[in-house]
Amino acid sequence: MDPTLLTAALSGALVALLLTLFGGGGSVLATPLLLYVVGVRDPHVAIGTSAAAVAVNAAVGLAAQAKAGRVKWPCALTFGAPGLVGSLLGAHLAKAVNGQHLLAWFALAMAAVGLSMFRAPSSPGDPDVQIDPTKASRLVPVGAATGLAAGFFGIGGGFLIAPGLMAATGMTLANAAASSLVSVTLFGAATSLSYAASGLVDGRLFLALIVGGAGGVAIGAKLAPRLAARALLARRLFAVMIVATAAYVAWRALA
């Protein structure tokens, strides 16, 4: 097997494993892995390819969460629809930015992801939340802004989506994490399609990431119950790794 494809598959396994264990935040490691481990030279290709893989992984996770009945579809779609427009605009803007400058901004977004993961979950929320005009008026602008950020930085945006859903609707963390996958799928698909239209998605690396990701999901599903008792500690250790990676990406971009 081509060493590059093997490395990409292992990177996909790691990203999927972390996504399965920690949810929002795991996808931000996909682009740095493609750049500095797999060896992709163009930051735009790394962002476009990773966005495509994240969309597929999120869709797989969404199917499982929907089957379990955790997705609040009306709220998720009200958030995701304007976000889809925002993500297309964000991706269009990002392609016009110099690759190294874009990486510097990406590093800033990574640091924000890591820092957000230090917070402990707040109130349990309402498991029976329903959409209404007041909630919709909150979801639409937050969704559009989140989609714009996700498209520009080429990240799934789960770390922004779940808190946004909880703040706008009062739903539980479990429902927000599940419902956020609707937007992660939409935003990742829109971003990757925009990049693919410009020839900035590597099809072979995308497939390798997906194949590796399937293994990562399987391993993560087995490990998740063992981490339950120390979930907050594990999440914060993961956050430290994300912040450290952000510092490295910034150093490489600015150097």
Side-chain angles (χ1 to χ4, degrees), residues 31-32 34-36 40-50 94 97-104 106 153-154 195 200 249 253:
T31 294
L34 284 177
L35 286 169
Y36 307 124
V40 175
R41 294 183 178 275
D42 187 342
H44 291 104
V45 172
I47 289 174
T49 305
S50 65
V97 177
N98 175 273
Q100 295 306 313
H101 294 167
L102 184 59
L103 281 181
F106 181 84
F153 296 116
Y195 275 78
L200 296 172
V249 172

Side-chain angles (χ1 to χ4, degrees), residues 6 10 12 20 22 39 41 44 48 51-52 55 60 72 114 138 146 156 166 177 183 197 206 220 233 242:
L6 177 60
L10 292 174
T20 304
F22 302 109
R41 294 183 178 275
H44 291 104
V60 173
K72 298 293 184 181
R138 297 172 186 161
T146 302
M166 292 177 71
S183 291
F206 164 69
L233 175 61
I242 290 180

